[in-house]
Every structure is written in C-alpha cells, then in structure tokens.
Amino acid sequence: MSGSRAAIRYAKAVLSLATDQKSAEVVNSDMKSITNAIAESEDLNQMLQSPVVRSSDKKAVLLAVFKDANVATTNLFDTLITNKRLPLLNEVASSYVHLYDELRGSQVATVTTAIPLTEDLKTKVLAKVKELTGKDAEVENIIDESILGGFILRVGDIQYNASISNKLDKLKREFTLN
C-alpha cells in the first residue's frame, strides 16, 4: 500500500512539472509507452525489480528503450534511481496516466465482450458513458469468450454487467434457492 501512495506522489509531482512546462500530453504518451513496455516485456519488469542489477545499468537500459522520452520522463528515472524507488516505475507511470485523464476530464471505459466491438458499438458505448458520468472516455475493449455474449462495462467505480454468463448465473442461483 505504501508503494502505491509513493507512486501517486511521484506521479503528481511529474504531472505538476509537466503541466508547468506545457508538456503534460507528451509525458502522458511516454508513461503509456512505459506501462505497455513493462507489461509486454517480463525481462524489463524483472530487471527493474532486481536488487542485483546496478542502478547505472537500469538507467542505461531505460534510456536506450525510451530514447525519445521527454526530459521530465528521464528526470523521473533519475529521481526514482536516486531515491531507490525504481521498482515503482510501472505504478508511477500508470498513476500518471490516470491523474492526467482526471485532469483532462476524461476516463477509460473498459468493455469486456465475447467478440471485438464494432465502430458503431464503440460510438454507442461512448455516448452511454458520457450520459452516465458526464465525462468523455476512451474505450478499451477486452475480449473474454467466457462471458458467452453481451458485455461488461466498467467506468471508474461503476460496473454494468449485461453478460449472458451473468444472467445464467442468476438463473442458476434462483433455481438452487427454490
């Protein structure tokens, strides 16, 4: 838990600095790249978490992987290394993206479906999210064939489950109670 709070503090500091330098959007792009790279590369994640790998080597790898990163992003690397908090990089990056979206009045709507969403359905989902929350959103589509059909919509703390598997589970519970 303390790691999460520390990550949020670092993310807020970087967002404040980037906003002052009018580079918040570029840094947001960097942070998305960092979270994607760490999610896709187990080697990168293990290297960042490893106490055996020297900080100078970690920094060299980060600068090589994210060679087009903004100055604020590379300064974050230095700060995390200096404070021995580099293992928090992924959490800091995802916290930054979340804080940036809040600042912009935007959010991510996660839609879980059995098949990929069409553009028409994405438009309808965005309209529904705007109606429910009053904010714009980006749609992230997760495909999970186990829900059989329908969809599960998550926006912030709101979840709407209209999946076939959920409806079948409800029916099953009704029959077992009677």
Side-chain angles (χ1 to χ4, degrees):
M1 185 65 179
S2 64
S4 298
R5 289 195 329 218
I8 290 169
R9 285 194 303 267
Y10 283 108
K12 283 181 179 178
V14 173
L15 180 59
S16 175
L17 179 69
T19 303
D20 291 346
Q21 296 175 347
K22 302 198 181 340
S23 61
E25 190 170 335
V26 175
V27 174
N28 187 52
S29 176
D30 290 348
M31 295 300 164
K32 285 182 179 179
S33 297
I34 290 168
T35 57
N36 290 338
I38 292 173
E40 291 173 7
S41 173
E42 185 60 33
D43 291 339
L44 179 62
N45 187 33
Q46 287 179 356
M47 186 267 312
L48 291 172
Q49 302 300 324
S50 175
V52 178
V53 179
R54 290 183 302 180
S55 295
S56 59
D57 293 339
K58 291 179 182 181
K59 181 178 179 180
V61 168
L62 288 172
L63 292 177
V65 172
F66 305 108
K67 57 183 166 274
D68 296 330
N70 186 283
V71 175
T73 305
T74 56
N75 287 342
L76 172 65
F77 298 158
D78 290 335
T79 304
L80 291 174
I81 289 168
T82 302
N83 296 333
K84 299 185 182 354
R85 294 292 208 154
L86 197 56
L88 292 177
L89 179 61
N90 192 32
E91 283 184 75
V92 172
S94 60
S95 295
Y96 180 96
V97 171
H98 181 72
L99 290 169
Y100 180 76
D101 287 344
E102 280 182 8
L103 181 71
R104 276 191 18 228
S106 182
Q107 57 199 344
V108 175
T110 306
V111 182
T112 306
T113 56
I115 57 171
L117 282 177
T118 63
E119 287 303 315
D120 184 43
L121 285 173
K122 274 187 186 179
T123 307
K124 289 179 181 177
V125 167
L126 288 172
K128 190 64 175 175
V129 169
K130 178 90 170 170
E131 177 186 317
L132 290 171
T133 64
K135 295 181 180 179
D136 290 327
E138 289 181 31
V139 174
E140 179 183 318
N141 187 207
I142 298 173
I143 289 125
D144 180 3
E145 294 170 358
S146 70
I147 69 168
L148 303 177
F151 64 93
I152 302 170
L153 173 65
R154 286 188 189 96
V155 183
D157 295 340
I158 301 169
Q159 177 173 317
Y160 180 72
N161 192 339
S163 65
I164 301 296
S165 63
N166 185 48
K167 290 177 183 177
L168 289 173
D169 285 343
K170 283 182 183 177
L171 275 173
K172 183 178 174 183
R173 276 183 260 141
E174 282 182 31
F175 284 130
T176 55
L177 291 176
N178 294 331

